[in-house]
Amino acid sequence: MIHTLCRLSELVEGQGKLVELAGEAIAVFKVGGDVFAVDNACPHRDGPLAFGDVKGCMVYCPLHAWPFDLRSGQCPDIPSARVRTFPVRIDGDEVKVEL
């Protein structure tokens, strides 16, 4: 099902935004003009990824700096660790996500 997540104009380049939608905590990022949506909880200790540092297409968990690729959800340092990603679509100023 497609849901409106937020407005594109609400996103700041290189920073995360936490959005609660349909019982899901989703971290949304705008990087290089692209928008990514991932599970907000780091699989290590549930660190809030929306508040992590962003460098390129990587977000670093604010608790223990585990990195996650926003494109794939994969942690390059720990191959068994990943976060769920959500397909994003831009419709005018609306960021839409499929849950």
Side-chain angles (χ1 to χ4, degrees):
M1 179 172 244
I2 304 290
H3 298 272
T4 299
L5 196 55
C6 63
R7 298 209 168 274
L8 186 59
S9 57
E10 295 173 5
L11 300 177
V12 177
E13 180 72 26
Q15 292 182 10
K17 175 179 177 62
L18 175 60
V19 177
E20 300 274 343
L21 179 66
E24 302 276 352
I26 301 172
V28 187
F29 301 88
K30 181 176 166 188
V31 177
D34 292 323
V35 177
F36 303 96
V38 301
D39 233 350
N40 187 53
C42 173
H44 178 228
R45 299 272 175 137
D46 290 330
L49 295 179
F51 303 108
D53 290 331
V54 177
K55 293 181 181 127
C57 281
M58 302 296 287
V59 61
Y60 294 81
C61 178
L63 297 184
H64 299 103
W66 282 29
F68 294 92
D69 189 318
L70 294 171
R71 298 165 292 194
S72 66
Q74 184 65 50
C75 176
D77 295 349
I78 299 135
S80 63
R82 73 177 319 122
V83 290
R84 184 171 44 155
T85 60
F86 301 92
V88 171
R89 185 176 89 210
I90 307 301
D91 185 9
D93 190 43
E94 292 184 336
V95 176
K96 297 188 178 260
V97 67
E98 185 175 340
L99 295 181

